[in-house]
Amino acid sequence: MMLEGISELPLHQGHVPAWLANIMKRLAKAILEIMVEEFGPDKIVERFSNPLWFQAFNNVIGMDWDSSGSTTVTTGILKEVSWNNPDLGFLVLGGKGRYARQVPEEIPYATELLGINSDTSKLLEKASRIIAKVDSVMLQDNYTLYHHALFVSENGVWAIIQQGMNLKHRMARRYHWFQDTSFYEDPHKAVAGIKHDLVLNLVSRESRKARKTILDLAKENPNTIINEYSSLFNKLKGQREILSYITPSRTGRIKLERINKIIIYEPLPLPKHILEKLRRTYEVQPGNLDDLLLIRGVGPKTIRALALMSDLIYNEPPSTNDPVNTPYDPFKYAYAIGGKDGVPYPVNKKDAEEVIATLEDIIYSAKIGRKEKLLAMKKLSKIKIRFRIVY
C-alpha cells in the first residue's frame, strides 16, 4: 500500500477520558502485535504513511470519526505503545506542539534502541527537517503546522505524519510521507479533504520550471531582485515611477499589463523584510532545494517572494492547484466500537472489552506456533462488528 497524502479534518477541542485512552492503548497494541506477526514492522510504518489507513486505524480504536484529534491522540497512543513495547520493532517520535520540535533529540535514542546505524540516523534527521519545511514553505495552503511525528522501523524504514491548522476555516489538514517519496514533485499521492481555490503549490509537477528558477534567483545578487520586487510592490499599491511619465516602458522594467496577470497568494512582505534573508541565500549559494530550505530564516515569505519573481521576470508561474481528491470514505471504520464524541454512536465499553479480549486471545494463540497462529488469524477474520442505526 504505497500511498502518501493529505487528510483534512475539523478542529476539535476536549480530551480523551482515561478509561477510553486505556482501551485505545490495549486495542492498538493488540492490532500492532498481530500486524508484526503477519507483516513485520516495516509494513506497519508503510501502512501509516497512508492517510486513509491511518484514519481507519484511528476509528477502529475508538477515536472521533472526523476530528483533528485523531492525529494527535492516535499518534500519542502509538508513541506510548511503541516505546513501552520495543519488541514491536518500530518507534514513533515527536508529536504535538513542543514534542514536534523534539524529534532531532529523540532520533539518537530511537536509533540506538532499534540498532540503526549513525548514517541512517543522520538521514532521518535531515528528512524530518526538510519535510517540515516542504509542508510549510513549498506548499503554502494556509495551514500552520503544529504536529510532526516520525515513524521508524528497526530496518530504517520511515514515515512522517504532520498536521496543520487553519483557524479561519476551523479545519486541520494531515500530511503523510513515506521514505520512497520525492520531496519536491507531487509527493502527496492521496488527498482527502476540502479543496481550496488558491494555494502556492511548489511541489506540483507543474512547478518544475518555477522551482529551478527560484533556486537560480536565490543565488542572484539580492539588490537586483529587491529592485524588481520593490517596483512590483509599489505598483500594486497604485504608485507610479517618475520615469513612467517620460517613457511608456523601459527594457528590464516591469510592465503594468504583465503585473495584472500575476497571482498574489497573500499580502506581500515589505522589501526590507526579505532583503536580509536574500542576502543569506546569496552568501550560501545553495546547490539544491535542500540547501535553500535549510538556510536559517528562509520561510514562506521568502519563497513566496521568489516565486513571484519567477513568474514576473521569467514567466515561470508556480502551480496554484490544491492537491485534493477523495478515493474512499474511511469513516465507515468508526462503526467498529463507536467514537469519543458519540459519532456515529457512543463507545460501548462492553463491546470494546469483548473486541480487545478476542484480539488478545488471538495474539496469545498466535505466539504458540505456526499452526496456532494460522488458526488465530482465521478467528480474527470471523469477528463480527455490531452496527447500530442512530436516528
Side-chain angles (χ1 to χ4, degrees):
M1 190 177 294
M2 299 289 290
L3 193 63
E4 312 86 45
I6 302 172
S7 179
E8 198 160 30
L9 300 166
L11 284 172
H12 280 198
Q13 296 180 340
H15 67 281
V16 177
W19 66 266
L20 179 55
N22 185 55
I23 286 176
M24 293 172 72
K25 291 173 190 175
R26 291 174 58 196
L27 188 51
K29 179 176 179 290
I31 294 172
L32 291 172
E33 286 184 329
I34 291 176
M35 291 182 66
V36 168
E37 288 287 334
E38 189 68 11
F39 306 112
D42 292 353
K43 196 66 176 180
I44 291 178
V45 172
E46 181 185 333
R47 286 288 177 88
F48 283 115
S49 73
N50 178 343
L52 304 176
W53 196 90
F54 181 98
Q55 188 66 33
F57 182 91
N58 156 85
N59 296 146
V60 166
I61 64 174
M63 191 54 194
D64 304 336
W65 72 297
D66 66 342
S67 169
S68 61
S70 65
T71 307
T72 57
V73 173
T74 302
T75 302
I77 293 291
L78 290 167
K79 182 175 183 178
E80 183 172 341
V81 170
S82 66
W83 282 87
N84 287 337
N85 301 273
D87 56 311
L88 289 173
F90 81 99
L91 293 171
V92 179
L93 291 64
K96 178 181 177 182
R98 63 185 178 89
Y99 296 107
R101 296 186 292 272
Q102 293 177 356
V103 170
E105 300 173 9
E106 293 178 340
I107 286 176
Y109 296 102
T111 52
E112 182 179 359
L113 185 61
L114 293 171
I116 297 174
N117 61 51
S118 58
D119 289 340
T120 302
S121 180
K122 292 176 182 177
L123 290 175
L124 290 172
E125 184 175 352
K126 182 178 180 179
S128 173
R129 295 175 64 194
I130 290 292
I131 288 174
K133 275 295 189 77
V134 168
D135 281 338
S136 59
V137 175
M138 298 296 284
L139 177 60
Q140 298 186 32
D141 53 6
N142 298 309
Y143 285 81
T144 303
L145 294 182
Y146 69 99
H147 177 277
H148 177 92
L150 169 67
F151 291 62
V152 58
S153 77
E154 59 191 8
N155 295 317
V157 175
W158 59 266
I160 287 178
I161 297 176
Q162 302 189 124
Q163 184 158 283
M165 68 171 69
N166 184 317
L167 294 177
K168 179 181 178 181
H169 296 291
R170 299 292 302 166
M171 295 294 292
R173 177 176 286 195
R174 192 166 62 228
Y175 310 82
H176 294 242
W177 294 75
F178 189 60
Q179 64 176 20
D180 293 333
T181 300
S182 166
F183 288 163
Y184 300 111
E185 187 156 309
D186 294 333
H188 304 114
K189 304 302 182 184
V191 181
I194 297 174
K195 192 176 185 69
H196 296 286
D197 293 331
L198 182 64
V199 303
L200 176 57
N201 185 358
L202 289 167
V203 292
S204 168
R205 186 181 303 272
E206 298 171 3
S207 297
R208 184 180 295 174
K209 292 182 179 179
R211 288 194 298 270
K212 182 181 183 304
T213 304
I214 286 171
L215 186 60
D216 291 340
L217 284 169
K219 294 183 281 189
E220 287 284 338
N221 189 312
N223 292 327
T224 303
I225 301 174
I226 286 296
N227 287 339
E228 297 288 359
Y229 184 85
S230 298
S231 181
L232 170 64
F233 186 87
N234 292 332
K235 277 184 167 60
L236 290 172
K237 292 173 63 178
Q239 300 177 10
R240 297 179 65 185
E241 296 174 339
I242 190 169
L243 291 176
S244 66
Y245 293 95
I246 302 173
T247 56
S249 65
R250 294 189 302 132
T251 303
R253 303 304 296 171
I254 300 171
K255 296 181 180 180
L256 186 59
E257 58 268 24
R258 178 77 184 98
I259 292 176
N260 291 335
K261 298 179 182 179
I262 301 295
I263 295 175
I264 307 300
Y265 311 93
E266 288 185 6
L268 297 181
L270 293 172
K272 64 180 181 180
H273 289 168
I274 65 169
L275 178 58
E276 183 59 35
K277 295 175 182 178
L278 290 177
R279 283 175 177 161
R280 290 180 188 172
T281 67
Y282 179 66
E283 291 172 358
V284 172
Q285 290 290 298
N288 53 45
L289 288 172
D290 287 1
D291 295 340
L292 176 60
L293 291 182
L294 293 178
I295 296 174
R296 185 176 180 84
V298 172
K301 292 182 179 179
T302 305
I303 296 299
R304 191 163 66 245
L306 291 174
L308 286 170
M309 293 300 98
S310 168
D311 192 354
L312 184 68
I313 300 173
Y314 298 101
N315 196 21
E316 296 292 355
S319 171
T320 60
N321 295 322
D322 194 347
V324 171
N325 57 54
T326 310
Y328 73 92
D329 181 6
F331 300 143
K332 62 187 178 182
Y333 293 95
Y335 287 90
I337 63 172
K340 175 177 73 69
D341 286 350
V343 181
Y345 56 84
V347 174
N348 184 297
K349 290 185 180 181
K350 184 175 182 296
D351 288 350
E353 289 290 348
E354 288 178 358
V355 172
I356 292 170
T358 303
L359 287 172
E360 289 177 338
D361 179 63
I362 291 172
I363 294 164
Y364 174 80
S365 300
K367 289 180 178 178
I368 295 174
R370 178 65 181 172
K371 181 178 180 180
E372 289 78 10
K373 172 190 170 186
L374 292 174
L375 291 173
M377 296 308 293
K378 288 181 180 178
K379 276 188 184 180
L380 180 61
S381 67
K382 294 179 181 179
I383 291 178
K384 303 294 184 181
I385 302 298
R386 188 188 326 182
F387 283 76
R388 299 183 182 181
I389 300 176
V390 181
Y391 296 95

